[in-house]
Structure formats: C-alpha cells, structure tokens
Amino acid sequence: MNPSHQKIAIVGLGYVGLPLAVEFGKQRPVVGFDINAARIAELKDGHDGTLEVAPQDLVAAAQLRFSSDPDDLKACQIFIVTVPTPVGQANRPDLTPLVKASETVGKALKQGDIVIYESTVYPGATEEVCVPVLEKFSGKKFNVDFFCGYSPERINPGDKINTLTKIKKITSGSTPEVADTVDALYGSIITAGTHKASSLKVAEAAKVIENTQRDLNIALVNELSVIFDRLGIDTIEVLEAAGSKWNFLPFRPGMVGGHCIGVDPYYLTHKAEEVGYHPQVILAGRRINDNMARYVARNVIKRMIGNGIDVARSTVGVLGITFKENCPDVRNSKVVDMVHEFQAWGIKVVVADPWASAKEVAHEYGLALGPVDHAHPVDSLVVAVGHHEYRQLALADLRAYCRGDQPVLADVKSLYNRHEAAAAGFTVFRL
C-alpha cells in the first residue's frame, strides 16, 4: 500500500484532531470533519477556539478543507478518528462518541481503506468495539476489505514547545503491511520519529499506562501533602529538599483534572475488571486524586472558621477554572468539585478565569464567570490555576481582592512565597 497520494479524513477537530489535520494539510488533501457545525464555521473563518493552532498555521494548511457533511468523507481512503473518550458519572468508559464516529466512517468505507484510531481506549477496544461497528455499517470484512491502525494521541493542551511534530508517535496496524503503511504515514509529518508497536493492543495499552503512571505519581505527592499538613511542615519545602537528589522525580501535588490523567486510568481498570482482576494501586491513586478538590475546600473552610469568618454568609473567590494553566480547556476540571464543596456549606462562590469561555463554563457546569478584583472583593481567595496572569499578580493586589482582617488564601499551585503572603495579611493554605 502506498498512502502518499491518498486523501485523509480527520474525524473530530478538537485539541487532537485539528493540529493533525493542519500538519497533513500542508502536504496532501485532507478533509477535517466534525459534527459540530459551529466548530466548522469558526475554523473556516480562520479561528481556533482551543488556541492550539494559530491563524497563520490554518492558512499554511493549503490542502485542508473543513466539513460537517458525512458525504465528504466518501472521497477519502484513510480515516483518522480523534474524538473524545470520556468517562461517565460512575467512572466507566463512555465510548458513545467513538461508536458514533465509527458508524459515520463505516458508511464511507471502500475497498482497501484504512481506519486509524487516536482516541484513548483500553487494550482491545479497537478490535472489540470499533471494528464490529465498521463492519456493520460498511458491509465489509476486517483485514480483507478494510484495515485498522492505532496511534495514540500525545497532545499536551496549551504546550507550545512539545507540539505534535516534536513528540515521538506510537504507531501500529492490524496487519504487518498496514503497520508499515501507518508508520510511514505518521513518519511523513512527525519530525521526532515514530515507534512501531507490535500490535494494536500494545499501542492501546502504552497510551493508558503513560497517564496512569503520572496519575499515581501525583497521587503519592498528594497523599504526602495531606500527611505533611498534619505534621505542620510545608510540602513544597520538603519536595524541594528531596529534589536535591539527582533521581528524585519532580512531581507536585494538585487537583488532577483534564481529559487524560484523570480519565485514562479508569479505562485500564475497567478492562482489568472485565478479565477478572480487581486493580488496587491504580484505583487507590484515583481515589486520592479525585478527593483533592474537596480537601482544598475543606481546609479553606476550616481556616475561615478559625479566623472568625461567618462561613454561611461569606463569599469565596476562585481564580481559574480550566484544568491547567494558560489553556482554555475546561473538560473534567476538578475546580468545579471544589466550587460545589464550598456551595454545600452555603458559601457564595465567584469564579473568574481570563482563559475560559464563559459560554462553555455555563453550558458544562452551570456556573457564571464573574469578576474577582479590587472592585469586587471577597472574604477569602483560592488561586486554583497557574495562569501567567495570576503568577504576575503582586500579593498586595491579591490582598486588595479580599475584605476583612483575616482572609484565607489557598495557593493551590504554590505560585507565591508563603511567608510574604502571610506578611501581606493572609492565612495561607497550599498543598
């Protein structure tokens, strides 16, 4: 198979799909497909609301065309599926977007076509879930009439240094020949090189353990943070001291949200339970990390009570609601869990974020973004996300955002010197 002149369809134009479509679109004909007509309209206007792709890069992708019409997929021979794979309320994999995308692609499949999945899944999902859907809606037979590949996404939203082409790409194919084809396809745009896995399952497993490992490392320092708080010592100071050893890993405590680290481990544990193994370490890490947002809120409340603040009549300002700094992505934001904990105590919460879309926050979480500043003071303050706007704030400015004699400052990301914050009049809490 020689894919060099084949037309590519990228199905799903979010944080993963759009950069991929742009890179391929600089070299060859590409259809960027998304069911969200509003998303297609903004991209046609030259604007990416995720801020992952600059307007000049959209222009540079001269052979990329955007569409929300499934009929436009029929002219393509290679389909790359990059739709979200979230978890439901019970933390079970929700493969609905993946199944729907497979239905759409299945209707467009022709003899010899290749379907490559980038969405994070558990080992075996491509062959066990996606392939039957492709066969049903195409009327064709897997590895006879069409073929599959799996190449997990490694996009880091908001990261302008480790971008798509600079991150080594894992590739795989459903036959040795297809594996070579998929590897060559990605090798044409990924300057960092590729790693060809021996099977689809190996590639799928590699993806979920990347983020499971990070999740567990963060869970360890989060648990250490809880212990050190009870011992009356500062976690960051301990980590900095331990970090003086060359092989100490520099993980920091925090609220683990987003679409990867806080989600992927549940895909692995789901599959493990299906085959009769009940994970312990992985789920223990998830329990710790999922509880950190409520832990932060309760520690703020405890200190507010200690300072004589009438909690039930108070207002807490929260700076930042995106899942990470300098990025507009609010998916699976654990800041929302913290807000809900405050609200459960009768506290009024005002959330501000210069990066987040007010419309998206309202739609996803039912929260209205509002100002937290000198003109709209609050009783206590949580700096939840390390946006550069917040890193640049002087402690005097933060203090002016608060009324009363003894406000609490929860510096979740340890952006400020805690001694200087205390000198500015704050009771300081940080992880």
Side-chain angles (χ1 to χ4, degrees):
M1 297 180 184
N2 182 1
S4 59
H5 301 295
Q6 293 176 314
K7 192 171 186 177
I8 297 175
I10 308 294
V11 181
L13 297 175
Y15 287 85
V16 175
L18 181 62
L20 197 64
V22 166
E23 287 303 321
F24 278 123
K26 294 174 182 177
Q27 299 182 355
R28 59 199 295 162
V30 175
V31 173
F33 175 84
D34 201 290
I35 60 173
N36 184 343
R39 174 68 168 158
I40 294 299
E42 76 166 13
L43 291 172
K44 284 183 175 180
D45 286 341
H47 173 67
D48 170 28
T50 70
L51 305 183
E52 289 299 300
V53 176
Q56 62 267 27
D57 290 320
L58 286 174
V59 173
Q63 299 186 69
L64 170 59
R65 298 292 179 266
F66 298 110
S67 175
S68 58
D69 184 354
D71 284 342
D72 289 337
L73 299 176
K74 294 177 180 178
C76 301
Q77 294 81 43
I78 298 174
F79 303 83
I80 303 179
V81 179
T82 58
V83 297
T85 44
V87 292
Q89 289 188 342
N91 290 323
R92 292 294 180 185
D94 179 5
L95 295 176
T96 304
L98 197 63
V99 170
K100 293 293 185 184
S102 298
E103 291 178 5
T104 300
V105 170
K107 295 173 184 177
L109 278 183
K110 302 166 296 303
Q111 190 71 29
D113 286 355
I114 300 174
V115 184
I116 305 167
Y117 290 90
E118 290 212 3
S119 306
T120 301
V121 291
Y122 51 76
T126 299
E127 291 155 293
E128 296 164 12
V129 176
C130 301
V131 165
V133 175
L134 293 173
E135 288 185 325
K136 177 181 176 181
F137 283 85
S138 68
K140 299 186 182 301
K141 188 170 178 58
F142 176 53
N143 276 345
V144 175
D145 303 311
F146 72 91
F147 306 87
C148 283
Y150 184 80
S151 180
E153 61 91 0
R154 282 176 161 172
I155 293 294
N156 186 24
D159 189 340
K160 302 306 179 186
I161 298 173
N162 300 300
T163 51
L164 172 66
T165 61
K166 299 173 185 174
I167 304 170
K168 182 169 282 193
K169 200 85 164 71
I170 296 173
T171 67
S172 65
S174 56
T175 69
E177 184 183 14
V178 170
D180 290 341
T181 298
V182 172
D183 194 65
L185 177 70
Y186 282 105
S188 69
I189 63 167
I190 306 296
T191 56
T194 61
H195 176 96
K196 186 167 62 174
S198 61
S199 68
L200 300 179
K201 280 187 179 180
V202 167
E204 291 166 330
K207 171 57 180 177
V208 287
I209 70 164
E210 287 176 18
N211 287 322
T212 298
Q213 184 185 72
R214 285 185 55 78
D215 192 43
L216 285 169
N217 278 306
I218 297 169
L220 173 61
V221 292
N222 275 338
E223 188 165 59
L224 293 174
S225 177
V226 174
I227 295 169
F228 293 151
D229 181 63
R230 295 190 180 194
L231 294 175
I233 53 180
D234 185 73
T235 304
I236 301 303
E237 291 178 2
V238 174
L239 293 175
E240 288 173 347
S244 63
K245 188 180 181 185
W246 78 93
N247 61 350
F248 186 84
L249 300 177
F251 287 92
R252 292 294 180 96
M255 297 184 291
V256 183
H259 62 109
C260 287
I261 300 177
V263 172
D264 294 359
Y266 287 123
Y267 274 76
L268 183 57
T269 58
H270 167 79
K271 188 61 180 178
E273 289 170 350
E274 270 194 356
V275 295
Y277 179 76
H278 300 285
Q280 298 180 55
V281 174
I282 298 171
L283 288 176
R286 282 281 74 237
R287 284 191 295 270
I288 291 168
N289 287 343
D290 274 348
N291 190 55
M292 291 309 291
R294 289 179 287 273
Y295 173 77
V296 170
R298 291 167 188 170
N299 272 277
V300 172
I301 291 165
K302 181 170 69 175
R303 286 162 173 78
M304 288 171 67
I305 292 171
N307 289 357
I309 297 173
D310 187 348
V311 168
R313 292 179 175 82
S314 67
T315 301
V316 169
V318 174
L319 300 184
I321 195 171
T322 61
F323 92 89
K324 66 179 292 187
E325 65 274 8
N326 307 325
C327 171
D329 194 348
V330 298
R331 289 176 294 173
N332 193 33
S333 171
K334 293 304 176 183
V335 178
V336 176
D337 293 349
M338 183 182 66
V339 170
H340 290 161
E341 184 68 21
F342 281 130
Q343 292 173 333
W345 285 71
I347 296 171
K348 179 183 177 183
V349 183
V350 181
V351 181
D353 194 310
W355 285 81
S357 161
K359 182 178 179 181
E360 187 176 1
V361 171
H363 178 264
E364 292 294 325
Y365 302 115
L367 297 173
L369 296 182
V372 178
D373 52 30
H374 302 74
H376 304 85
V378 294
D379 296 294
S380 287
L381 197 61
V382 179
V383 183
V385 185
H387 294 318
H388 64 70
E389 290 90 344
Y390 300 149
R391 292 179 183 273
Q392 294 169 1
L393 283 174
L395 284 165
D397 288 321
L398 288 177
R399 182 63 184 87
Y401 291 179
C402 299
R403 53 181 171 248
D405 298 328
Q406 291 185 295
V408 176
L409 170 65
D411 181 11
V412 174
K413 303 296 290 185
S414 298
L415 305 184
Y416 314 105
N417 182 294
R418 68 186 183 99
H419 302 293
E420 293 176 2
F426 285 112
T427 297
V428 180
F429 169 76
R430 65 180 188 174
L431 290 176

